[in-house]
């Protein structure tokens, strides 16, 4: 009765009502959970123990277990052919050929269209010298999958290795009945030619050109006949090909090959007739190669002037049409002028050059002038190199320089080419005057560098120094110019002047490559053996940037300085760098610093020093963050590696000290309550031992 009342009093917990039944914004699928578990490798299984087989009984037991494992795997994943192949190869290694054969047969029942399975099966039979079994497998393979060329190739290759030429030929014939691709026919032909069966090869070619009636196959047929000395047969092949394609499907390659064949047979008249016949019937835009070969033929055996005049006239007419249709198509002018330079007289070439340079770009933007300016350059080079007229070359250069709108833009190459031309004419003053005018009109770094390079070759170092000064006034942000200037002074032996140049360079407010400049300055001081100056340079650089490579370079410098206590100085640099970079957001940089420090301690430090650095090493963790596209939409999540340093871990818990103080206050409060209860217990201790025990337990509760 009491039990029933107790059961009746039990309350059944109510199910909590879900207020918000909308789906969560981020949905996690079972597949995602499994993938994350696999990536994190939460369940690492120990490797299986190694087993040594001592006797036949253990070996049989091993085979039984492995076969059971293989069979279980096949029962689970029947369609995975790789499991079948592994099973069969394992049986083959145990010399259980019959079992391996049975496994392959079972696998073929599962997927008889798998090419790899057939190949592995046949290769197993071939490895074990089971030729008849291999033939059986190949026969079944080519019957089942006749369009797989690999089966036919391997089958014929096996028969040829076994010396069964008749069998190989029979396989080829079966293959050809399927009209395979061109390479299969070539393989059959090469097989017959390897055994000097030219007639058989000719018969195969006859069938081949009918199955694949392309021009290249007819040409190969004729080349084969020509190669074996059957020239009459080769000529007949070409004639049949011409007749086969007719005038509707004429191809220039066929006639080129036919004409070259006649040329090789010293039948020049026949070759000329073939070329003319083809040129009269094939459209011009489809006969470029034919026309080219005809030109070569005429140059060899015909009237050179006549044919070249025809070709040049035809091409000139084409180029004239192009430049007339588009006068600002400078590429067409280049091709036209290149043709005339090799064939026409100088006056004709000059006339066309003048027509070309008259087509000035309509817009004064440099991108529209880049191709046009090369017309002037080619014109000047033609006058200098071809006609040997330096005065006219000078006029071309001067006219081009007057035409260019230097207030908008300029071309440094034109000034430099002009100056180099004057140098070649041994007119140094004119070259310097031209470069001086260019710097005055339109200063560019390229002009300064070209002028300086010229003066360096002439060993005019005073002029080089003045030019460098002008260049640095014009472009003080170019670090390369500062470095070259300082290197020049170093070569001249003026170290103090080079150092002053470096000091002036690093004081510039804007530089394009400051890191290169600082490195050059530091290397300069190190080459001079100025250890203290180098150290001061590093400190100045660290005031401007706290890059980790600067700290590492400074540490390496201190280590290689060769002074007393270099190891301790290097360690101090690492400590200072680590302390400075604690607030750095680039954690990879801090890690790079600690790794360099660790390498240093591995070589020079003690065990305690190494442990100290190891304690500073961060912990590598994987985190996830949301990825947003360019338009701000959600693109999912991505994993990335983050590093947690010991200092960051302590700083990430700002309430840790407050929590410790709260626990201490609670403990003190409990002790105070316990001391307040003790006098009352002393007054009541004589009442009874039972009451005393209760009071004692209550005090424990207070504690």
């Amino acid at each position: 009765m009491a039990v029933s009342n107790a059961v009746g009093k039990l309350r059944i917990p109510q199910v909590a009502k879900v207020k918000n039944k909308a789906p969560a914004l981020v949905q996690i699928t079972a597949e995602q959970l499994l993938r994350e578990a696999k990536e994190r490798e939460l369940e690492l299984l120990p490797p299986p123990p190694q087993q040594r087989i001592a006797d036949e009984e253990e070996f049989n037991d091993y085979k039984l277990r492995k076969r059971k494992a293989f069979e279980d795997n096949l029962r689970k994943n029947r369609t995975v052919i790789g499991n079948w192949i592994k099973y069969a190869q394992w049986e083959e290694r145990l010399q259980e050929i019959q079992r391996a054969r049975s496994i392959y047969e079972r696998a073929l029942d599962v997927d008889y269209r798998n090419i790899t399975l057939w190949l592995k099966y046949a290769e197993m039979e071939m490895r074990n010298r089971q030729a008849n079994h291999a033939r059986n497998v190949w026969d079944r393979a080519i019957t089942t999958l006749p369009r797989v060329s690999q089966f036919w190739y391997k089958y014929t290759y096996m028969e040829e290795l076994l010396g069964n030429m008749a069998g190989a030929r029979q396989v080829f014939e079966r293959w050809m009945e399927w009209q395979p691709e061109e390479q299969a026919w070539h393989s059959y032909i090469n097989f017959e030619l390897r055994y000097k069966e030219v007639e058989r090869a000719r018969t195969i070619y006859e069938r081949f050109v009918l199955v694949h009636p392309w021009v290249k196959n007819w040409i190969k047929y004729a080349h084969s006949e020509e190669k074996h000395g059957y020239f009459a047969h080769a000529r007949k092949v070409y004639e049949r090909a011409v007749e086969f394609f007719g005038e509707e499907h004429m191809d220039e390659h066929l006639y080129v090959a036919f004409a070259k064949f006649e040329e090789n047979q010293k039948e020049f008249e026949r070759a000329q007739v073939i070329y003319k016949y083809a040129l009269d019937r094939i459209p011009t835009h489809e006969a470029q190669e034919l026309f080219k070969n005809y030109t070569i033929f005429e140059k060899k055996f015909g009237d050179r002037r006549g044919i070249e005049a025809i070709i040049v006239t035809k091409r000139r007419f084409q180029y004239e049409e192009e430049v007339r249709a588009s006068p600002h198509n400078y590429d067409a002018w280049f091709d036209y002028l290149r043709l005339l330079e090799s064939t026409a007289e100088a006056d004709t070439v000059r006339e066309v050059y003048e027509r070309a340079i008259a087509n000035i770009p309509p817009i004064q933007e440099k991108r529209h002038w880049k191709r046009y300016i090369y017309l002037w350059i080619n014109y000047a080079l033609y006058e200098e190199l071809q006609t040997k007229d330096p005065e006219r070359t000078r006029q071309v250069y001067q006219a081009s320089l007057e035409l260019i709108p230097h207030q908008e833009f300029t071309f440094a190459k034109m000034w430099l080419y002009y100056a180099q031309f004057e140098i070649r004419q041994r007119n140094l003053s004119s070259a310097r005057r031209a470069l001086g005018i260019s710097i005055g009109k339109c200063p560019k770094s390229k002009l300064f560098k070209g002028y300086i390079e010229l003066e360096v070759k002439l060993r005019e170092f005073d002029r080089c120094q003045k030019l460098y000064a002008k260049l640095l006034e014009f472009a003080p942000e170019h670090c390369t110019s500062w470095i070259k200037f300082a290197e020049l002074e170093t070569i001249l032996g003026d170290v103090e002047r080079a150092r002053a140049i470096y000091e002036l360079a690093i004081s510039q407010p804007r530089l394009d490559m400051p890191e290169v400049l600082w490195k050059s300055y530091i290397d300069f001081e190190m080459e001079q053996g100025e250890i203290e100056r180098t150290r001061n340079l590093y400190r100045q650089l660290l005031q401007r940037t706290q890059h980790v490579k600067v700290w590492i370079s400074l540490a390496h410098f201190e280590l290689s300085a060769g002074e007393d206590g270099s190891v301790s100085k290097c360690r101090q640099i690492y400590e200072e760098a680590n302390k400075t970079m604690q607030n750095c957001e680039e954690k990879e940089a801090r890690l790079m610093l600690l790794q360099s420090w660790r390498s240093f301690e591995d070589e020079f430090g003690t065990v305690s020093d190494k442990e100290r650095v190891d304690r500073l090493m961060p912990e590598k963790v994987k985190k996830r963050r949301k990825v947003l596209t360019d338009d701000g939409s959600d693109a999912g999540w991505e994993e990335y590696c983050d590093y947690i340093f010991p200092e960051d871990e302590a700083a990430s818990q700002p309430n840790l000290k407050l929590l410790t103080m709260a626990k201490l206050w609670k403990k003190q409060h409990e002790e105070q309550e316990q001391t307040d209860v003790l006098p009352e217990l002393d007054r009541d201790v004589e009442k009874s031992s039972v009451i005393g025990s209760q009071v004692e337990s209550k005090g424990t509760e207070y504690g």
Side-chain angles (χ1 to χ4, degrees):
M1 187 70 178
V3 174
S4 63
N5 292 334
V7 173
K9 293 180 180 180
L10 290 176
R11 294 182 178 179
I12 300 174
Q14 296 181 355
V15 179
K17 294 182 180 180
V18 179
K19 295 181 179 180
N20 186 6
K21 295 183 179 181
L25 295 177
V26 180
Q27 297 291 325
I28 301 177
T29 62
E31 180 185 358
Q32 191 173 357
L33 293 174
L34 292 174
R35 187 172 62 252
E36 291 183 2
K38 178 63 178 176
E39 290 174 354
R40 298 180 182 179
E41 295 181 353
L42 299 178
E43 298 181 1
L44 297 176
L45 299 177
Q50 294 183 354
Q51 180 181 3
R52 292 185 178 180
I53 299 174
D55 54 13
E56 185 177 358
E57 183 179 356
E58 290 186 0
F59 183 53
N60 292 332
D61 182 60
Y62 164 73
K63 291 195 292 185
L64 180 63
R65 284 187 284 105
K66 287 292 288 184
R67 284 172 182 149
K68 185 178 183 302
F70 276 121
E71 292 292 343
D72 291 342
N73 198 9
L74 293 178
R75 200 176 299 111
K76 295 177 184 177
N77 302 302
R78 180 179 177 81
T79 58
V80 180
I81 300 301
N83 295 336
W84 293 95
I85 294 175
K86 290 178 183 177
Y87 190 7
Q89 289 175 345
W90 180 79
E91 292 288 358
E92 183 188 358
R93 287 196 295 271
L94 297 179
Q95 299 300 319
E96 296 284 353
I97 306 301
Q98 191 60 38
R99 284 181 174 272
R101 193 175 290 128
S102 174
I103 293 166
Y104 277 120
E105 292 293 340
R106 291 166 57 194
L108 288 174
D109 291 338
V110 174
D111 186 5
Y112 69 91
R113 292 182 177 274
N114 192 288
I115 298 173
T116 305
L117 187 59
W118 286 104
L119 293 175
K120 295 292 184 182
Y121 190 4
E123 288 171 359
M124 181 200 74
E125 299 290 2
M126 293 168 64
R127 277 196 302 272
N128 293 279
R129 301 179 182 278
Q130 301 291 327
N132 290 328
H133 283 285
R135 286 193 184 98
N136 183 21
V137 174
W138 288 127
D139 279 329
R140 293 165 57 196
I142 62 178
T143 304
T144 307
L145 302 171
R147 291 298 180 184
V148 180
S149 301
Q150 197 172 2
F151 294 160
W152 297 98
Y153 284 124
K154 287 186 174 289
Y155 193 4
T156 54
Y157 179 67
M158 183 193 77
E159 293 292 356
E160 190 174 358
L161 283 180
L162 295 174
N164 186 10
M165 306 310 164
R169 188 174 290 113
Q170 184 180 4
V171 174
F172 270 120
E173 286 295 335
R174 291 174 58 188
W175 191 6
M176 296 306 112
E177 292 176 0
W178 289 93
Q179 297 183 358
E181 73 278 0
E182 298 176 10
Q183 185 58 41
W185 291 91
H186 290 308
S187 299
Y188 191 10
I189 293 168
N190 293 334
F191 166 76
E192 296 293 356
L193 292 178
R194 280 197 296 272
Y195 299 99
K196 312 300 182 183
E197 297 287 347
V198 180
E199 288 296 332
R200 290 181 180 271
R202 183 179 293 124
T203 305
I204 299 167
Y205 260 123
E206 291 289 343
R207 296 159 56 192
F208 173 42
V209 294
L210 295 178
V211 174
H212 296 283
W214 312 116
V215 171
K216 61 178 182 179
N217 296 330
W218 285 94
I219 295 174
K220 288 179 181 178
Y221 184 12
H223 283 173
S224 175
E225 295 291 349
E226 182 182 2
K227 179 180 178 182
H228 292 90
Y230 298 100
F231 302 113
H233 282 285
R235 184 174 289 111
K236 287 181 181 179
V237 171
Y238 279 120
E239 292 173 354
R240 286 174 54 201
V242 171
E243 183 180 356
F244 179 83
F245 289 103
E247 295 187 1
E248 296 180 358
H249 305 284
M250 296 182 69
D251 191 298
E252 62 173 346
H253 297 94
L254 175 61
Y255 291 93
V256 169
F258 194 3
K260 285 185 176 179
F261 165 76
E262 297 294 354
E263 181 182 341
N264 293 334
Q265 303 305 314
K266 310 299 182 183
E267 296 286 348
F268 303 123
E269 293 182 359
R270 292 176 63 92
Q272 189 175 30
V273 169
I274 292 168
Y275 276 124
K276 290 182 178 180
Y277 175 81
L279 287 172
D280 291 341
R281 288 163 175 79
I282 299 177
T284 306
H285 64 279
E286 297 179 3
Q288 298 298 325
E289 190 69 22
L290 180 66
F291 198 80
K292 178 181 177 183
N293 284 276
Y294 183 36
T295 306
I296 296 172
F297 172 78
E298 288 293 343
K299 286 181 179 180
K300 288 182 180 179
F301 309 107
D303 187 359
R304 178 180 177 183
R305 289 188 177 180
I307 190 61
E308 286 190 352
I310 295 173
I311 296 172
V312 170
T313 303
K314 183 177 180 180
R315 293 178 63 185
R316 285 184 63 179
F317 179 75
Q318 294 175 352
Y319 286 131
E320 284 289 347
E321 287 183 346
E322 288 187 26
V323 298
R324 192 180 298 112
S326 177
H328 291 95
N329 183 6
Y330 301 118
D331 292 328
W333 285 107
F334 290 141
D335 296 335
Y336 190 11
L337 289 164
R338 194 178 300 115
L339 171 66
L340 294 178
E341 287 178 8
S342 59
T343 58
E345 299 292 334
D347 293 336
T348 306
V349 178
R350 287 195 184 105
E351 179 187 354
V352 178
Y353 264 120
E354 293 294 337
R355 287 171 54 199
I357 60 179
N359 296 295
I360 303 173
I363 304 175
Q364 289 192 355
E365 293 183 8
K366 189 170 184 178
R367 61 190 181 91
H368 295 288
W369 285 63
K370 285 184 177 180
R371 298 294 292 165
Y372 170 72
I373 204 66
Y374 276 100
L375 287 173
W376 287 95
I377 294 173
N378 292 343
Y379 191 7
L381 293 176
Y382 172 76
E383 293 290 353
E384 181 183 3
L385 301 177
Q386 299 292 332
T387 63
K388 310 293 183 182
D389 191 347
E391 187 59 35
R392 193 170 182 86
T393 305
R394 186 176 291 108
Q395 293 175 5
V396 172
Y397 276 121
Q398 292 174 354
S400 66
L401 292 173
E402 291 176 1
L403 180 65
I404 298 172
H406 299 291
Q407 301 301 326
E408 301 292 333
F409 56 85
T410 189
F411 289 94
K413 60 173 71 68
M414 285 301 300
W415 293 100
L416 295 175
Y417 286 159
Y418 180 33
Q420 292 167 4
F421 162 74
E422 294 292 358
I423 294 293
R424 288 194 293 271
Q425 301 302 318
R426 302 183 183 279
N427 195 350
L428 181 59
S429 59
S430 297
R432 283 175 173 159
R433 188 183 308 111
L435 291 174
I437 293 172
S438 68
I439 292 174
K441 277 188 175 182
C442 45
K444 288 183 67 175
S445 298
K446 190 175 180 180
L447 287 171
F448 279 105
K449 292 176 182 178
Y451 199 175
I452 291 169
E453 184 179 355
L454 172 64
E455 297 296 351
V456 168
K457 289 179 180 178
L458 296 173
R459 297 296 187 267
E460 295 288 345
F461 299 114
D462 293 337
R463 289 180 178 272
C464 293
Q465 291 172 344
K466 294 178 182 179
L467 288 171
Y468 269 121
K470 292 289 184 181
L471 172 58
L472 295 174
E473 288 179 8
F474 169 69
E477 70 277 2
H478 290 170
C479 294
T480 307
S481 304
W482 291 100
I483 294 171
K484 293 291 184 182
F485 192 10
E487 288 177 355
L488 176 65
E489 297 295 345
T490 306
I491 293 172
L492 296 176
D494 197 342
V495 178
E496 291 299 328
R497 186 177 175 88
R499 185 176 289 117
I501 291 169
Y502 275 121
E503 288 292 338
L504 187 60
I506 62 176
S507 64
Q508 297 300 316
R510 187 167 62 90
L511 295 170
D512 55 354
M513 294 185 294
E515 64 281 358
V516 177
L517 178 64
W518 280 94
K519 184 179 184 303
S520 178
Y521 192 7
I522 291 171
D523 293 341
F524 164 76
E525 294 293 358
M526 292 177 67
E527 289 176 0
Q528 302 302 321
E530 297 289 345
I531 304 299
E532 192 60 36
R533 287 181 180 273
T534 307
R535 188 178 289 116
N536 293 335
L537 278 177
Y538 271 115
R539 290 299 177 183
Q540 292 180 36
L541 180 57
L542 288 173
Q543 291 177 1
R544 301 192 180 194
T545 178
Q546 295 292 327
H547 199 278
V548 62
K549 290 186 178 180
V550 180
W551 286 106
I552 295 174
S553 178
L554 176 56
H556 290 171
F557 162 73
E558 292 291 354
L559 186 62
S560 61
E563 297 181 346
D564 296 337
S566 59
V567 175
S568 60
K569 289 181 179 179
C570 181
R571 186 176 289 111
Q572 290 175 3
I573 295 298
Y574 277 119
E575 292 174 355
E576 182 182 354
N578 184 46
K579 186 180 298 183
T580 305
M581 297 187 68
Q582 284 182 358
N583 298 325
C584 179
E585 295 182 358
E586 297 181 0
K587 297 185 178 181
E588 289 80 2
R590 295 178 61 188
L591 178 62
M592 187 187 302
L593 176 69
L594 292 174
Q595 289 175 347
S596 177
W597 191 2
R598 184 68 171 83
S599 300
F600 162 74
E601 296 294 355
D602 288 340
E603 187 174 356
F604 300 100
T606 60
V607 177
S608 60
D609 295 331
K610 296 177 184 178
E611 292 177 352
R612 177 188 175 190
V613 178
D614 289 338
R615 286 194 297 270
L616 297 174
M617 285 293 183
E619 178 185 0
K620 185 177 180 180
V621 295
K622 285 186 177 180
K623 292 185 178 181
R624 300 180 65 202
R625 59 188 172 195
K626 183 174 288 187
V627 181
L628 298 177
T629 58
D630 296 336
D631 57 356
S633 60
D634 189 5
W637 295 80
E638 68 172 358
E639 285 194 356
Y640 69 98
C641 293
D642 194 11
Y643 298 96
I644 300 177
F645 290 83
E647 301 88 350
D648 298 341
E649 189 174 4
S652 63
Q653 300 177 2
N655 298 325
L656 184 61
K657 185 175 181 181
L658 180 62
L659 184 62
T660 305
M661 295 177 63
K663 289 183 178 179
L664 181 62
W665 175 83
K666 182 179 180 182
K667 184 177 180 181
Q668 292 176 353
H669 184 67
E670 290 176 351
E671 291 177 354
Q672 183 66 32
E673 288 182 354
Q674 188 175 2
T675 54
D676 293 341
V677 171
L678 284 177
E680 296 180 2
L681 293 176
D682 291 338
R683 288 194 299 267
D684 298 338
V685 71
E686 297 177 355
K687 290 184 179 180
S688 67
S689 60
V690 178
I691 296 174
S693 62
Q694 293 177 353
V695 173
E696 187 177 7
S697 63
K698 187 178 293 185
T700 304
E701 292 177 0
Y702 287 135

